[in-house]
Amino acid sequence: MDKSCASAAEAVACIPDGATVMIGGFGGSGGPIELIHALIDKGAKNLTVINNNAGNGDVGLAAMIREDMVGKLICSFPKSKDPRAFTERYLDGKIELELVPQGTLAERIRAGGAGIPAFYTPTSYGTDLAKGKPVGDFDGRSYVQERWLKADFALVKGELGDPMGNMTYRLAARNFNPLMCMAARHTIAQVTKLVPAGGIDPEQVITPGIFVNSIVEIANPQQEEVLNREGAVYP
Amino acid sequence: MDKSCASAAEAVACIPDGATVMIGGFGGSGGPIELIHALIDKGAKNLTVINNNAGNGDVGLAAMIREDMVGKLICSFPKSKDPRAFTERYLDGKIELELVPQGTLAERIRAGGAGIPAFYTPTSYGTDLAKGKPVGDFDGRSYVQERWLKADFALVKGELGDPMGNMTYRLAARNFNPLMCMAARHTIAQVTKLVPAGGIDPEQVITPGIFVNSIVEIANPQQEEVLNREGAVYP
Amino acid sequence: MTDFAEIKLSNAQIAWRAAQDIEDGAYVNLGIGFPEMVAQYQVEGREAIYHTENGVLNFGAAPAEGEEDWDLINAGKKAITLKDGAAFFHHADSFAMVRGGHLDVAILGAFQVAQNGDLANWSTGKGVPAVGGAMDLVHGAKRVAVVTDHVTKKGDPKLVAECTMPLTGVGCVTRVYTSLAVIDIEDGHFVLREKLPQISLEELQAVTGGELKVQGTVADLIVPEL
Amino acid sequence: MTDFAEIKLSNAQIAWRAAQDIEDGAYVNLGIGFPEMVAQYQVEGREAIYHTENGVLNFGAAPAEGEEDWDLINAGKKAITLKDGAAFFHHADSFAMVRGGHLDVAILGAFQVAQNGDLANWSTGKGVPAVGGAMDLVHGAKRVAVVTDHVTKKGDPKLVAECTMPLTGVGCVTRVYTSLAVIDIEDGHFVLREKLPQISLEELQAVTGGELKVQGTVADLIVPEL
C-alpha cells in the first residue's frame, strides 16, 4: 500500500470547484501551508472551507480568500492580526460565514468522522448561535442539538507519516488535524518526514492510516506565523 | 502535584458499596487485575460494573462477580471461555444485565467524559436493543438516541504513568481504558512503570493527567489470560 | 428435499470465494469465528488491511504457540501479530472507523439473512445474550457481506423472506456467500449472481426462503479444493 | 456618580485577587487577554495546571523573544513553553475536558454579567462576529469566574439585572472579580462577598445594575500594590 504522492500539486489536483474542504491548523500552528498554496496554484472556485480561523495576512487561507476561491467559511474565530482578506469580503457580503463555537466545531467534525449524525451539547444554549436548532432536556438541563460536519476533502499537516497514511503531529500543531482526517471523504496530508511503513511505533500513531488517502512529504514546511512576520505574500 | 498512591489497596479504599465502577480491558487485555483484586480484598457490595465483558474463569471481574459484589453489569459481551460466575447468577436472576452494542458502549462512555448527554447512532436501529429508545431521522436515515454513561470510579491499567496522571498504554491493552478515564468522577490507574513528571514525551501521552485522580505502580502486572491458563483462583 | 452435502462448499471454500472480492488496499473487518478464515485466502498480490474492534489496524496471523503476547489480541480474544504500518487506538476511535464509513468491507456470519438485507446473527433468544460489535459492524462499512451455509443443520433456509430471529441490523447486508451460491441484496430482493453448476435454479430456490431473482447471467460458482 | 478611578483595582490587582482562589492542583483555563494575567499571580506553594483550548495541558510562561516555536502556542496564538508533565491532545479531546466537567476553574472577561449568571462577552453585535471557545468554556468548568472592571469606560454597570448584549451562556457565572468587589452569583442574585473598604455598600450598589445581596459579613477587599 502506497498512498504517497510526489508533490503537493499532484495531491490537490483532484479538488474541484464547489468542494467542501476542511483545512487543519489553529492560527499559525499546524496549517498545511504548502497544500493550501498548491491549491491556490491549481485554482478552484466557490469552495466551502472549514477551519478554526479565517486566515491571517497574505498567505495560506487568507490568500485563498483574497483570491476569491472561498464562497463560504465555517469557523469559530474569523479574527486575526491581519484579517483583511476575510473582513472586507464578509462586510461586502461576498463570503458567507457560519460561526460555530470552537468546541462544537471540533465535536461536529469528530461526529462526521465517527458516524454520529447529531449530538447534544450545553454549548450555545440560550444564545444567538443556537437559534433555530432543536433543544433537548436531559437530567434537568437544556442542550442544543448539533449536526455532524463532513467534507469532500481535508488538507492536514503532520510531522511523521508513512505510505499507509499513519501520522504523528508536532507539539500543538495537532489541534484540528486528526479530527479532519476522520471527517473527509478524501484526506490529503503533508508531513515533514515520510518514513517507511513500520517507521512509526504503532503505539505512537495519532492518526491511523485508514483516515488518510494521500500523503506527501514537505521536508521544510513553512509556518504561517513566520511567513506573516516576514510580511510574505502568496503567490 | 503527586497523584501517586503507595498501593492498590490504598488506591481503591475510597470505593463504597453501591458505587458505579468502570473497569478497563477487553477480554484478558488491559484489565487492571491488581486493582480489581484489591477491591475484592477490601470488599464492596451492590456495585454497578461497566466493562466490555463479564469476566472469565476465577480471577478479576469473574471473581468479583463470584464474590457477589456486583448487582448490575453493563457490557457488550458477557461470554467467555469460562463465564460461569456471571452465567449462573444471571440465569438465577441475581445479577442485572444491561446489554449494549460494543461501539455504542464505547461512544456512551466517551460522551460521558466529553459532556455530551446524548447522541444518535445507526447501531441497533430496528433491533431489540433499541426498544424504548427515541429514534431520530437525519438525511433520510433512522438513528437511535443513546445517553452518556458516567461512573463514580474507573479502574484502568496503563503502561507508563507519571505523578500528574499522564499515561500511555501497551499494545491493544489500550481499548476502553482511555475512555473510562474520562467518564469517571474518580479514576484510579495502575501502571507498569511510574516515571517522574516529564518522563513521558508530551506528544506520546494517550491519557492526559486531568482524567486521572490516583495512580499506583504495579511493576509486574498479572494478565487475566495467563492466570486463566494457569487455572488461578482469586482470592 | 435434495441433500447437497456432497457438493456444497466447505467453510474454507466459502471463505475463499469471499476473499476474491476483497480489493487491493481494502480495509476489512472479519467477524469472530468462521469469517476470520477469509484472511487465509487473501488473493496473491493484493494487500488488505485488517481492523479489529479492540483497537488494532493492520494485524497479521496468529503467533506460534508459546509466542503469544496477551496484550495483543483480536476481537475474538485470539493472539495476533502486527504487520509493518500497524496502529493502535482506543475503542471510541475504533468504532468511529466502523460507523463512520471508513471500512471497505465487513464480513460476518449469520443465523438468517432476509431478502431486504436484514441480518440476524447475534441471539437465538435463549440463554445469556451477548452482542459484541456485531450491531455496529453492520452499519458503516461500504459492503456488509455474510458468509454462511445455505441452510441450517436441520436443512431450513438461512436466506429468508423475513427474519424470525432477533435482528442485528435492518437492511444492512449487501452480499451473501453461501455454501451453494453468491447472492446480492438489491432493492429488497435476493439477486442470484453465482451458483454451483451442479444445482439447478429450481433446486436452489427450494432451499431459499425468499425469491431468487435473476438479472442477466448467473455465473458458475467455481471454487478450488482446499 | 462617584468616580472610583483613584481607588479601583488595576487589572493586575483583579488578576491577583482571582489567583488567590485557585487551589493547589487545580486545572485552570484562562481566557485570552486580561484573564491570562491571573497566571502571573499564582500563589506561592500552589501548583495550577493550565489548559489551553488548542490542545495543551501544563504549559508555562512565554519563551524569551526569538525563542518562540510557533507550533507551540496558546488559544491567544501566543508562544508558550511546556512544564514537566505536559500533554498534547486534539481539539475534540480538549473540549471534552472543557464540557465534560474536568476543569476546576475557567476565568473569563465580560462585557456584562447578569444577576442570574448570564454572561455576555463575545459580541458587541457589530462588525465580524467571532466566538472562539468562549461558549464552550462557560459550560463544564466547576467554577466559571469573571474578571472585569466594575463599570464600562462610560461608567455604565457591567453587572446588570439582565444582559442586553448577545449572550455567551445562560446562568453560567459563579463569581465575579471586579475592580471594586468580589461578588458571587447564587440563586439568581448578586451576593457581595468583598468590597474595597473605601467604598460604602450604597456607593457600590449605585454602580451595579442588579441588587447586591449581603449574606453574613462583607470582607474587605485588600490587594497589594503590584
Side-chain angles (χ1 to χ4, degrees):
Chain A
M1 169 170 282
D2 188 359
K3 298 177 177 178
S4 66
C5 246
S7 69
E10 185 186 318
V12 304
C14 53
I15 301 179
D17 290 354
T20 297
V21 185
M22 290 178 175
I23 301 180
F26 179 90
S29 167
I33 293 292
E34 283 76 8
L35 292 178
I36 297 172
H37 288 175
L39 184 55
I40 292 174
D41 293 349
K42 182 195 106 64
K45 294 225 163 296
N46 198 27
L47 301 176
T48 294
V49 169
I50 300 165
N51 179 268
N52 187 64
N53 302 100
N56 187 9
D58 255 321
V59 297
L61 176 53
M64 275 180 75
I65 293 171
R66 187 201 60 219
E67 298 291 312
D68 291 320
M69 295 167 67
V70 183
K72 179 178 177 182
L73 184 68
I74 302 176
C75 81
S76 90
F77 203 79
K79 289 185 179 170
S80 65
K81 271 189 207 135
D82 178 7
R84 271 173 306 140
F86 176 78
T87 302
E88 289 169 7
R89 279 160 190 80
Y90 175 75
L91 297 177
D92 287 352
K94 286 185 179 161
I95 189 166
E96 189 185 342
L97 171 66
E98 180 179 340
L99 192 72
V100 182
Q102 196 173 130
T104 299
L105 182 63
E107 191 68 11
R108 288 178 64 190
I109 296 168
R110 180 193 176 273
I116 301 294
F119 60 89
Y120 289 90
T121 173
T123 301
S124 94
Y125 173 74
T127 75
D128 291 351
L129 296 190
K131 275 182 185 160
K133 293 182 179 170
V135 165
D137 288 338
F138 300 96
D139 309 333
R141 193 170 166 192
S142 298
Y143 297 84
V144 177
Q145 188 192 95
E146 294 281 356
R147 295 295 314 278
W148 61 15
L149 261 181
K150 299 192 187 198
D152 300 312
F153 298 90
L155 305 181
V156 301
K157 180 185 183 179
E159 177 67 3
L160 297 182
D162 74 20
M164 307 192 73
N166 295 304
M167 283 205 292
T168 68
Y169 299 91
R170 184 168 181 272
L171 305 173
R174 189 178 303 188
N175 54 64
F176 282 91
N177 284 299
L179 306 172
M180 291 179 169
C181 288
M182 298 168 68
R185 196 171 42 73
H186 186 95
T187 292
I188 302 164
Q190 66 171 72
V191 292
T192 305
K193 192 168 166 57
L194 195 61
V195 299
I200 305 175
D201 180 338
E203 291 180 6
Q204 292 171 16
V205 169
I206 301 298
T207 291
I210 192 172
F211 295 131
V212 175
N213 300 84
S214 70
I215 192 162
V216 56
E217 182 179 279
I218 305 290
N220 293 296
Q222 294 178 297
Q223 232 286 353
E224 187 187 277
E225 184 72 25
V226 174
L227 290 174
N228 277 321
R229 283 166 184 258
E230 294 167 357
V233 177
Y234 194 88
Chain B
M1 171 170 280
D2 188 0
K3 298 177 178 178
S4 66
C5 248
S7 69
E10 185 185 318
V12 304
C14 53
I15 302 179
D17 290 353
T20 297
V21 184
M22 292 179 173
I23 301 179
F26 180 89
S29 167
I33 293 293
E34 283 76 8
L35 291 178
I36 297 171
H37 287 176
L39 184 54
I40 292 174
D41 293 349
K42 180 194 108 66
K45 294 226 163 295
N46 198 27
L47 301 175
T48 294
V49 169
I50 300 165
N51 178 268
N52 187 64
N53 303 100
N56 187 9
D58 254 319
V59 297
L61 176 53
M64 274 180 75
I65 293 171
R66 188 201 60 219
E67 298 291 313
D68 291 320
M69 296 168 66
V70 183
K72 180 178 177 182
L73 185 68
I74 302 176
C75 81
S76 91
F77 203 77
K79 288 184 180 170
S80 65
K81 270 188 209 138
D82 178 5
R84 271 173 306 139
F86 176 79
T87 302
E88 288 169 9
R89 279 160 191 79
Y90 176 75
L91 297 178
D92 286 352
K94 287 185 178 159
I95 190 167
E96 190 185 341
L97 172 66
E98 180 179 340
L99 193 73
V100 182
Q102 196 172 131
T104 299
L105 183 63
E107 192 68 11
R108 288 178 65 191
I109 296 168
R110 180 193 175 272
I116 301 294
F119 59 89
Y120 289 91
T121 173
T123 301
S124 93
Y125 174 74
T127 76
D128 291 349
L129 296 190
K131 275 184 184 157
K133 293 181 179 170
V135 166
D137 289 338
F138 300 97
D139 309 332
R141 191 169 167 193
S142 298
Y143 297 85
V144 178
Q145 187 192 95
E146 295 281 357
R147 295 296 312 279
W148 61 15
L149 260 181
K150 299 193 188 197
D152 300 312
F153 298 91
L155 304 181
V156 302
K157 180 185 183 178
E159 177 67 4
L160 297 182
D162 73 20
M164 306 192 73
N166 294 304
M167 284 205 291
T168 68
Y169 299 90
R170 184 168 182 273
L171 306 172
R174 189 178 304 189
N175 54 64
F176 282 92
N177 284 298
L179 306 172
M180 290 180 170
C181 289
M182 298 169 68
R185 196 172 42 72
H186 186 95
T187 292
I188 302 163
Q190 67 170 72
V191 292
T192 304
K193 194 170 165 55
L194 195 61
V195 299
I200 305 175
D201 180 339
E203 291 180 4
Q204 291 170 17
V205 169
I206 300 299
T207 291
I210 192 172
F211 295 131
V212 176
N213 299 84
S214 70
I215 191 161
V216 56
E217 181 179 280
I218 304 289
N220 292 297
Q222 294 178 296
Q223 233 286 353
E224 186 186 277
E225 185 73 24
V226 174
L227 290 175
N228 277 321
R229 284 166 185 256
E230 294 168 358
V233 177
Y234 195 87
Chain C
M1 208 182 73
T2 326
D3 183 3
F4 300 115
E6 295 291 311
I7 55 163
K8 73 168 190 174
L9 301 183
S10 66
N11 280 358
Q13 288 177 304
I14 299 170
W16 180 93
R17 177 61 192 85
Q20 307 309 302
D21 290 346
I22 296 178
E23 297 185 346
D24 188 34
Y27 289 92
V28 182
N29 184 294
L30 301 177
I32 297 175
F34 171 18
E36 289 181 63
M37 293 179 72
V38 172
Q40 297 171 29
Y41 301 105
Q42 187 168 306
V43 176
E44 189 82 20
R46 293 189 207 161
E47 183 187 10
I49 296 94
Y50 293 101
H51 167 268
T52 181
E53 293 95 300
N54 54 314
V56 192
L57 263 177
N58 211 21
F59 64 93
E65 214 178 306
E67 305 276 298
E68 300 93 347
D69 182 327
W70 295 108
D71 281 344
L72 186 56
I73 59 175
N74 65 12
K77 280 90 175 184
K78 296 202 191 94
I80 54 176
T81 53
L82 295 181
K83 297 184 191 169
D84 281 346
F88 295 110
F89 34 86
H90 61 52
H91 252 85
D93 281 349
S94 183
F95 281 89
M97 294 174 192
V98 171
R99 273 188 321 259
H102 304 284
L103 295 176
D104 295 294
V105 196
I107 301 182
L108 304 162
F111 296 147
Q112 293 179 323
V113 180
Q115 59 192 353
N116 67 348
D118 287 1
L119 173 67
N121 81 343
W122 75 281
S123 168
T124 58
K126 283 176 288 188
V128 177
V131 66
M135 286 192 184
D136 306 280
L137 281 166
V138 298
H139 295 290
K142 295 182 187 84
R143 297 201 300 117
V144 176
V146 159
V147 287
T148 180
D149 209 315
H150 201 86
V151 297
T152 67
K153 282 184 186 147
K154 290 186 183 165
D156 294 330
K158 297 186 78 165
L159 282 70
V160 295
E162 250 180 85
C163 290
T164 55
M165 298 175 77
L167 293 187
T168 306
V170 170
C172 52
V173 176
T174 56
R175 174 165 272 204
V176 187
Y177 303 95
T178 82
S179 48
L180 304 179
V182 176
I183 292 162
D184 281 340
I185 288 168
E186 290 180 8
D187 301 326
H189 299 290
F190 291 131
V191 179
L192 181 64
R193 296 298 180 198
E194 300 175 18
K195 64 170 182 59
L196 291 182
Q198 308 93 312
I199 304 180
S200 71
L201 176 57
E202 292 66 33
E203 286 173 317
L204 191 65
Q205 181 64 71
V207 291
T208 305
E211 188 191 349
L212 288 173
K213 302 252 180 190
V214 174
Q215 292 173 359
T217 351
V218 175
D220 285 344
L221 172 55
I222 308 285
V223 176
E225 295 294 326
L226 292 170
Chain D
M1 206 184 71
T2 327
D3 183 0
F4 300 115
E6 295 293 309
I7 57 163
K8 73 168 190 174
L9 301 183
S10 66
N11 280 359
Q13 288 178 303
I14 299 171
W16 181 92
R17 177 61 192 85
Q20 307 310 301
D21 290 345
I22 297 179
E23 297 185 346
D24 187 35
Y27 288 92
V28 181
N29 184 294
L30 301 176
I32 297 174
F34 171 18
E36 289 181 64
M37 292 179 74
V38 173
Q40 297 172 30
Y41 301 106
Q42 187 169 306
V43 176
E44 189 80 20
R46 293 189 205 160
E47 183 186 10
I49 296 94
Y50 293 101
H51 167 268
T52 182
E53 294 95 301
N54 54 314
V56 192
L57 262 176
N58 211 22
F59 64 94
E65 214 178 307
E67 305 275 298
E68 300 92 347
D69 182 327
W70 295 107
D71 280 344
L72 186 55
I73 60 175
N74 65 12
K77 279 93 175 182
K78 296 203 191 92
I80 54 175
T81 53
L82 294 181
K83 296 183 191 169
D84 281 345
F88 295 109
F89 34 87
H90 61 51
H91 252 84
D93 282 348
S94 182
F95 281 89
M97 293 175 194
V98 172
R99 273 188 322 258
H102 304 285
L103 295 175
D104 296 294
V105 196
I107 301 182
L108 303 162
F111 297 148
Q112 293 179 322
V113 180
Q115 58 192 354
N116 68 347
D118 287 2
L119 173 68
N121 82 343
W122 75 281
S123 168
T124 58
K126 285 176 287 189
V128 176
V131 65
M135 286 192 184
D136 306 280
L137 281 167
V138 299
H139 294 291
K142 295 182 188 84
R143 297 202 299 118
V144 176
V146 159
V147 286
T148 180
D149 210 315
H150 201 87
V151 297
T152 67
K153 281 181 187 149
K154 290 184 184 167
D156 294 329
K158 296 186 79 166
L159 281 72
V160 296
E162 251 180 81
C163 289
T164 55
M165 298 176 76
L167 293 187
T168 306
V170 170
C172 52
V173 176
T174 57
R175 174 166 272 205
V176 187
Y177 303 94
T178 81
S179 47
L180 304 178
V182 176
I183 293 162
D184 281 341
I185 289 168
E186 290 180 8
D187 302 325
H189 299 291
F190 291 132
V191 179
L192 181 62
R193 296 299 181 195
E194 300 175 18
K195 65 173 183 55
L196 291 181
Q198 308 95 311
I199 304 180
S200 69
L201 175 58
E202 291 67 33
E203 287 174 318
L204 191 66
Q205 181 63 73
V207 292
T208 305
E211 189 192 349
L212 288 173
K213 303 253 181 189
V214 174
Q215 292 173 359
T217 352
V218 175
D220 284 345
L221 173 55
I222 308 286
V223 176
E225 296 293 325
L226 293 169

